[in-house]
Amino acid sequence: MHRPSPSSARAPLDSALQTLAIERRGLDALEQAFSGPLGDTFVAAVNCIAESPGRLVVTGIGKSGHIARKIQATLASTGTPSLFLHPAEASHGDLGMIAAGDIILAISNSGETAELAAILTYAARQRHRVIALTSVATSALARAAHISLVLPRSTEACPMGLAPTTSTLLQLALGDALAIALLEKRGFTARDFGAFHPGGLLGARLRPISDLMHTGDALPLGQGSLPLRSVILEMTRKSFGCMGVVDDKGVLQGLITDADLRHAISGDLDRTTAEDVMNRAPVTATTDMLAQDVLHLMNQRKRPITSLFILDETRQPRGIVHIHDLLRSGLS
């Protein structure tokens, strides 16, 4: 069997490294471009989109179309109402997708994409603002736009200089920068993100702990004067392996666990009270926390916590969560 020479065996790896080096230089150029006119137009684009009462209609065709779809998906999931409009379908009825107040983000490396013409004509007639994302400041797209995000000229990683590679990477990077800037401008939070991603592991991680906790009569609670015999009965009925000790106002004063009971079980169960054996500084969570943060809180101790009380701002128990509740929700 013929064995490739060492040089030819490394050829794919050398090619990959060369591709990454070329694209890295493109990203460096993009970062530097933000110090020039691109920085000013980027800020203008963010403000324009954030202040718009409508949606952002993202469009492009070919490789730019694929990038446009991804940018639109990122925008939608991070709080910017948006949709993708296919240029070829636009002139066959889909222009009706553009509503009053919408802004158009048109993506084309050359800025001379013929399929965008119908959209640009319609936008001018209906007075929709257009943001161009292109590499040519003098292109038809840039001239038609109200704001032009002009990418720096870059070398494609394709050895023939034909396949869009570096140019589409820069489009994608600028789209991500736009989405994150809008996210921060709107004050979009992890809880907001979770509302848009209810499925899978991500949805489980971003789920409010208030959705998972047990409430009301399910809470194992008692006052500090309760004898241990009654504490044992309460813990057995509620099956969380613990009991919260509260004062007359319902404020949590301490916690008794199975381990605390084992240490005290040799004493007088009728004379020893909950207050005598409780942990006065238990770990607790708050009702505004996310499931992922509560799980981290339960796992960060040397001996993981199996049940955790959820308190409100007055330190009154509003719920309790067991580690199995979090695992059943999809967290791991």
Side-chain angles (χ1 to χ4, degrees):
M1 179 183 292
H2 173 70
R3 293 178 60 85
S5 65
S7 60
S8 62
R10 276 191 54 87
L13 180 58
D14 291 339
S15 175
L17 293 173
Q18 177 71 2
T19 296
L20 294 176
I22 293 171
E23 293 190 342
R24 187 180 301 112
R25 288 196 292 271
L27 288 172
D28 288 341
L30 177 60
E31 183 176 3
Q32 293 169 12
F34 273 97
S35 299
L38 178 59
D40 295 332
T41 54
F42 181 82
V43 171
V46 170
N47 291 335
C48 178
I49 297 168
E51 294 165 5
S52 170
R55 304 159 300 174
L56 185 62
V57 179
V58 188
T59 188
I61 201 164
K63 302 300 185 294
S64 293
H66 294 305
I67 298 299
R69 286 183 184 275
K70 191 277 176 186
I71 291 174
Q72 183 274 318
T74 300
L75 287 162
S77 72
T78 53
T80 298
S82 57
L83 61 91
F84 174 78
L85 175 61
H86 196 294
E89 300 293 340
S91 58
H92 295 278
D94 280 4
L95 284 172
M97 296 167 64
I98 306 175
D102 287 351
I103 297 173
I104 298 169
L105 173 62
I107 304 175
S108 168
N109 186 44
S110 69
E112 300 294 344
T113 304
E115 290 85 352
L116 292 176
I119 297 176
L120 296 178
T121 300
Y122 180 82
R125 187 166 62 246
Q126 300 296 324
R127 303 184 179 226
H128 290 284
R129 285 170 292 178
V130 175
I131 300 172
L133 176 50
T134 181
S135 295
V136 184
T138 58
S139 63
L141 174 58
R143 293 196 306 272
H146 299 79
I147 300 172
S148 293
L149 301 172
V150 182
L151 298 170
R153 284 293 192 169
S154 58
T155 301
E156 302 288 11
C158 168
M160 298 173 289
L162 299 176
T165 45
T166 309
S167 59
T168 49
L169 176 64
L170 299 192
Q171 291 174 351
L172 182 60
L174 189 58
D176 285 343
L178 192 63
I180 299 306
L182 286 163
L183 175 154
E184 293 177 345
K185 188 174 182 66
R186 288 192 167 99
F188 195 79
T189 66
R191 189 176 294 272
D192 298 322
F193 197 83
F196 291 159
H197 299 77
L201 176 60
L202 186 58
R205 288 174 54 198
L206 298 176
R207 195 170 177 183
I209 194 61
S210 56
D211 286 356
L212 300 175
M213 67 187 189
H214 302 266
T215 60
D217 291 339
L219 301 184
L221 297 172
Q223 293 193 326
S225 59
L226 206 64
L228 283 192
R229 190 178 300 278
S230 297
V231 171
I232 293 171
L233 291 176
E234 176 70 1
M235 290 174 61
T236 301
R237 284 195 298 266
K238 303 300 174 64
S239 302
F240 284 101
C242 66
M243 188 193 86
V245 181
V246 295
D247 64 13
D248 293 339
K249 296 181 179 179
V251 177
L252 188 73
Q253 300 296 304
L255 181 74
I256 300 174
T257 66
D258 286 334
D260 298 320
L261 280 181
R262 285 195 295 272
H263 290 129
I265 203 73
S266 59
D268 189 325
L269 297 183
D270 293 311
R271 293 191 178 184
T272 305
T273 66
E275 191 174 26
D276 294 332
V277 301
M278 71 181 185
N279 172 10
R280 296 177 184 272
V283 177
T284 59
T286 55
T287 53
D288 60 348
M289 292 177 68
L290 299 177
Q292 63 175 0
D293 300 322
V294 174
L295 181 61
H296 175 70
L297 193 62
M298 297 175 80
N299 285 333
Q300 68 180 358
R301 299 302 178 99
K302 288 184 179 179
R303 295 181 61 181
I305 298 169
T306 55
S307 293
L308 196 69
F309 274 99
I310 315 299
L311 310 183
D312 64 14
E313 63 277 2
T314 66
R315 290 195 57 79
Q316 294 187 45
R318 293 304 178 197
I320 188 171
V321 65
H322 193 280
I323 188 72
H324 291 162
D325 299 321
L326 298 174
L327 297 178
R328 279 194 295 268
S329 75
L331 286 170
S332 60

